[in-house]
Amino acid sequence: MMSYEQIAELEERRLVPTYKRLPFMAVDGDGCYLIDDKGKKYLDFLGGLGVNALGHAHPEMMGVLRDSSENLLHVSNLIYHRFQAPLADQLAKLSGLDRVFFANTGTEAVEAALKLARAFGRRHSEERTGILAMENSFHGRTMGSLAATWPEKYRKPFEPLPAGFRFIRQNDISHLKRNFSPDTAALLVEVIQGEGGVVELDEEFLKTGQELCREHGALFICDEIQCGLGRTGSYFAYQQMGLKPDVVLVAKPLAGGLPLAAILARDEVAQAFHPGMHGSTFGGGPLQCRMALKFLEILQRPEFLQHVRQVGSHFKNQLFNLQKELPVIRQVRGQGLMLAAELSIPGKEIVQQGVEAGFLFNCTQEQVLRFLPPLVIQQQHVDELIDVLRSILISVSSIEKKGVRA
Ligand SMILES: *Cc1c(COP(=O)(O)O)cnc(C)c1O
């Protein structure tokens, strides 16, 4: 078998250079730990970018994978199978919405929602096509999602993008009001902006957005791809603010590590699509749906979300305590187990040192350490991370002060 060094060398020559990887190769996973080819263990606060909500190799999820009572991996959406309808039913019940469309990845869910918004808008007027998105947003890498994604570095190289998108300043109600018009088809928000550095939108701002959508016949769309499905301690982050979106998007953790995404919509809105208007070859396949049914079953067990809230609030308190000790931490943000510490120095070096110490987390927006651990993480794991973070931050910020950084 090839070693990490051999694989890294081969990737360097053979992969399209889209990723900078961390300097190790995962070969196994066990709960909250990843294990590399040398047998080193890493406590995982990256969680596969918010996907591994149950950690690695969860016995019940692995059980679903192994159970071959039905030998179906794929049938296409031309044929019924046993698992899509019950999964849609579960998602509808958890969200309070009515109908579900299945895609594979987050960005596809966003595309489906944008198309639905325009199809729905056109039922009222040909001009109702405008999409309002947020500054600091991230919705994915395909052309439509990119058009709704804020950082120029993601968008600029690929212009021209689909037209009709405008960006609203976060939590700026008057900017929001000024940008609504009869041509607005949708307002697209992340209740907590993930890639943007775990930035929470205000309840008042979001409620105003929802009202303006109602007044203008536009769709209020919550992208819960990162903050949804238990991550913040409730099934959906919008539920904590009593919001009632017309469309909700989920993906990352939905099928326990397999690609599956969904858009959930009000009945009247969903009716804007009719057969043939949208589709997906792979979306909602039997294996993914079975995995997702198991994930949602586990998510709904008594005390599961309570655990997320408890460990999350302990984690956030520990980050606040660290902030009091270390001025290099500018701000602590987030809900549940979607947390971040914004630094006054670049975070990249901290991430590297974390890896060396056997701890995984990532850095967004250059200076924001973001934590998306498995939702089954324990308080003692959090305490271990905090101790390591303290010593890394002390050593790096003292080097930083002396100005001897390479
Ligand atoms: C990750 C993410 C996406 C894109 O998901 P992909 O599966 O990478 O296409 C969209 N929206 C949000 C909020 C995300 O965090």
Side-chain angles (χ1 to χ4, degrees):
M1 264 197 283
M2 292 172 91
S3 68
Y4 157 63
E5 289 75 13
Q6 288 167 318
I7 288 289
E9 193 271 334
L10 187 56
E11 284 205 354
E12 182 72 26
R13 287 188 288 119
R14 285 300 187 202
L15 290 196
V16 175
T18 47
Y19 303 110
K20 278 201 198 111
R21 300 202 201 280
L22 295 171
F24 74 95
M25 180 167 74
V27 297
D28 203 356
D30 181 12
C32 299
Y33 291 91
L34 261 186
I35 298 149
D36 77 9
D37 62 329
K38 318 275 188 302
K40 178 171 167 183
K41 288 177 103 179
Y42 300 83
L43 190 49
D44 189 359
F45 284 81
L46 181 64
L49 286 171
V51 169
N52 298 320
L54 299 177
H56 303 282
H58 189 281
E60 289 175 86
M61 299 303 281
M62 299 316 269
V64 172
L65 263 183
R66 273 189 296 265
D67 176 12
S68 54
S69 62
E70 297 210 18
N71 292 309
L72 296 178
L73 292 179
H74 176 79
V75 296
S76 91
N77 279 305
L78 298 181
I79 295 169
Y80 287 98
H81 65 73
R82 250 186 245 282
F83 307 102
Q84 207 177 100
L87 179 58
D89 192 44
Q90 284 292 309
L91 286 168
K93 283 174 179 153
L94 290 180
S95 64
L97 288 160
D98 304 310
R99 287 180 182 268
V100 181
F101 171 83
F102 289 104
N104 304 284
T105 63
T107 199
E108 282 177 63
V110 173
E111 297 287 341
L114 295 173
K115 287 174 74 175
L116 185 62
R118 286 193 170 164
F120 184 75
R122 282 230 161 75
R123 295 193 151 188
H124 299 270
S125 103
E126 260 314 297
E127 279 72 50
R128 190 171 290 172
T129 58
I131 309 289
L132 303 179
M134 299 301 306
E135 291 189 3
N136 201 46
S137 63
F138 181 86
H139 296 290
R141 307 286 194 162
T142 53
M143 291 296 191
S145 304
L146 265 188
T149 288
W150 169 249
E152 260 209 336
K153 65 174 183 185
Y154 294 145
R155 278 185 285 128
K156 202 87 192 151
F158 308 109
E159 287 175 349
L161 298 173
F165 289 72
R166 284 171 184 237
F167 292 100
I168 307 298
R169 275 192 296 277
Q170 302 129 278
N171 300 326
D172 185 338
I173 289 177
S174 72
H175 195 225
L176 181 66
K177 285 185 173 159
R178 269 184 280 132
N179 277 282
F180 260 90
S181 78
D183 296 346
T184 304
L187 170 64
L188 172 62
V189 301
E190 298 157 84
V191 170
I192 303 181
Q193 298 180 319
E195 212 56 34
V198 189
V199 175
E200 295 156 83
L201 297 184
D202 296 343
E203 188 168 327
E204 199 199 340
F205 176 81
L206 289 169
K207 284 200 161 137
T208 307
Q210 177 176 284
E211 268 166 43
L212 288 164
C213 283
R214 299 282 184 274
E215 280 167 30
H216 289 84
L219 300 184
F220 181 50
I221 306 176
C222 288
D223 177 344
E224 294 249 345
I225 291 167
Q226 192 164 142
C227 61
L229 298 178
R231 176 60 52 191
T232 66
S234 52
Y235 294 128
F236 297 95
Y238 69 78
Q239 289 171 334
Q240 292 185 30
M241 299 184 177
L243 296 166
K244 293 216 177 308
D246 301 294
V247 178
V248 172
L249 316 180
V250 292
K252 288 186 165 99
L254 179 57
L258 295 187
L260 181 64
I263 79 171
L264 328 176
R266 283 200 295 119
D267 192 22
E268 181 205 1
V269 173
Q271 302 293 350
F273 275 163
H274 52 73
M277 268 177 96
H278 192 56
S280 165
T281 299
F282 283 105
L287 180 60
Q288 288 91 314
C289 288
R290 290 177 73 182
M291 293 283 279
L293 279 164
K294 181 55 79 177
F295 172 62
L296 294 184
E297 180 199 320
I298 294 170
L299 184 67
Q300 290 175 80
R301 284 181 190 158
E303 280 150 49
F304 188 95
L305 288 178
Q306 197 190 326
H307 172 83
V308 175
R309 290 192 292 269
Q310 249 164 23
V311 180
S313 90
H314 174 75
F315 194 173
K316 197 172 185 184
N317 283 334
Q318 291 286 64
L319 288 170
F320 276 131
N321 291 338
L322 208 54
Q323 185 189 19
K324 280 180 210 138
E325 282 175 55
L326 304 174
V328 69
I329 299 181
R330 260 197 205 142
Q331 203 181 30
V332 172
R333 295 191 292 262
Q335 290 287 331
L337 287 169
M338 179 174 183
L339 295 173
E342 181 166 344
L343 307 177
S344 58
I345 59 171
K348 211 175 135 204
E349 173 66 18
I350 317 290
V351 170
Q352 297 288 335
Q353 294 212 20
V355 171
E356 268 172 51
F359 289 80
L360 301 178
F361 47 86
N362 90 321
C363 173
T364 64
Q365 305 292 310
E366 314 289 331
Q367 305 197 337
V368 181
L369 302 182
R370 180 179 49 167
F371 308 100
L372 298 169
L375 304 182
V376 294
I377 204 144
Q378 301 293 322
Q379 197 156 309
Q380 92 245 13
H381 296 130
V382 170
D383 295 342
E384 283 177 44
L385 171 84
I386 293 289
D387 285 344
V388 164
L389 208 52
R390 177 186 294 107
S391 55
I392 295 174
L393 285 172
I394 288 173
S395 77
V396 171
S397 51
S398 71
I399 294 169
E400 193 90 8
K401 251 185 223 144
K402 290 185 202 128
V404 294
R405 234 173 103 242

